[in-house]
Amino acid sequence: MTTLSPAVEDYLKAIYEIQSEGDQDRVSTSALADCLGVARASVTGMLKKLNAMDPKLVNYIRYRGVQLTPAGEKIALEVLRHHRLIELYLSEALGYSWDEVHQEADNLEHVISEDLEDRIATLLGHPQVDPHGAPIPDRDGNISRREEVQLTQLGIHQPAHISRVSDHDPAMLRYLQELGLTLNAQIEVTEKAPFSGPLHIRLIGTEIVHALGRQVADYIFVTLGSTGRKKS
Ligand SMILES: [Zn+2]
């Protein structure tokens, strides 16, 4: 990987994540500013810089948002591979909990060598997903896509399992852990309150039902059916 500043790598990663989560071609400056927690003016400045780089990393058109070029996407996937492998390593080898790994990985993702990346991948048996269920790109930048829906889109009494949770908010991850809403938990929606009210989620095989606010539910992605795997 060419040497880019951590800030540049963070921008490319954020654009990729918004692009893939929202199924949108172009990412708006405001969405990017929210995601990175910086002012819109700084985002615009950085995007102009990335747009002018050789090779060109993004296509940025004022008022129309930004899109990664193939070169930009390649780097984004490389950084994501680092991030997600490090998260899994911290969790599997060092006993970190799922709410602790993201911040550490955000720092380390920019500095590990390709050799260290390879050794971590080998140690972990070339894993497919990180501790939050996000797919880990392979060395060539291929990333698997699953048939996932947002929990809020799940129909009433449709059995599903939690396959991915957004990793950005440690407090929310701890909250979900307390409720038993962890990866591979088998669930169904028993009730949806109107006017964006809470979703009632039952843990299948139990009588436990949790009322979950939409703000939290939006961060949870599910796959229909059971995992075939016991939840750990
Ligand atoms: Zn993370």
Side-chain angles (χ1 to χ4, degrees):
M1 185 157 62
T2 40
T3 314
L4 295 166
S5 72
V8 168
E9 292 184 348
D10 282 341
Y11 267 79
L12 299 174
K13 188 179 69 162
I15 297 167
Y16 181 88
E17 287 187 302
I18 301 170
Q19 245 175 354
S20 55
E21 272 179 21
D23 283 325
Q24 42 190 322
D25 272 359
R26 305 193 75 90
V27 171
S28 70
T29 318
S30 55
L32 202 50
D34 287 348
C35 176
L36 292 162
V38 294
R40 275 192 218 187
S42 334
V43 172
T44 309
M46 177 61 110
L47 292 179
K48 283 182 184 162
K49 217 173 103 181
L50 296 179
N51 195 62
M53 276 172 110
D54 184 25
K56 202 168 148 84
L57 300 177
V58 304
N59 285 313
Y60 169 61
I61 302 171
R62 213 173 163 193
Y63 305 121
R64 289 191 42 207
V66 63
Q67 204 175 23
L68 292 175
T69 62
E73 184 173 300
K74 192 166 176 282
I75 294 162
L77 285 164
E78 179 67 41
V79 180
L80 271 181
R81 175 170 166 80
H82 285 184
H83 183 96
R84 293 175 178 171
L85 277 174
I86 291 165
E87 285 192 342
L88 193 65
Y89 176 73
L90 294 173
S91 132
E92 303 261 303
L94 303 179
Y96 276 64
S97 56
W98 77 339
D99 56 296
E100 295 172 321
V101 294
H102 178 73
Q103 193 53 54
E104 296 276 18
D106 256 354
N107 299 326
L108 293 169
E109 66 190 14
H110 307 292
V111 294
I112 68 165
S113 67
E114 298 309 285
D115 183 45
L116 180 51
E117 171 203 304
D118 278 348
R119 290 187 194 209
I120 291 174
T122 305
L123 179 82
L124 297 173
H126 302 282
Q128 304 285 310
V129 291
D130 79 5
H132 312 106
I136 300 175
D138 71 13
R139 283 194 63 164
D140 302 318
N142 302 306
I143 189 162
S144 62
R145 302 216 176 276
R146 284 168 302 182
E147 299 279 319
E148 283 179 332
V149 290
Q150 263 184 325
L151 177 57
T152 46
Q153 306 303 312
L154 190 64
I156 301 283
H157 296 306
Q158 239 183 334
H161 65 273
I162 296 178
S163 49
R164 183 162 59 93
V165 176
S166 166
D167 64 0
H168 288 70
D169 188 340
M172 192 198 66
L173 288 169
R174 283 192 293 276
Y175 175 61
L176 292 176
Q177 178 100 41
E178 277 166 29
L179 301 182
L181 297 172
T182 49
L183 276 195
N184 297 322
Q186 316 277 325
I187 53 150
E188 65 169 348
V189 176
T190 56
E191 205 186 314
K192 281 183 183 178
F195 307 110
S196 301
L199 298 180
H200 294 246
I201 311 293
R202 191 171 72 86
L203 284 157
I204 292 177
T206 74
E207 295 302 311
I208 302 168
V209 177
H210 296 299
L212 217 58
R214 297 286 169 117
Q215 200 199 338
V216 177
D218 267 343
Y219 286 117
I220 301 174
F221 296 81
V222 298
T223 301
L224 296 183
S226 65
T227 54
R229 249 191 315 152
K230 276 214 179 89
K231 93 187 228 292
S232 53

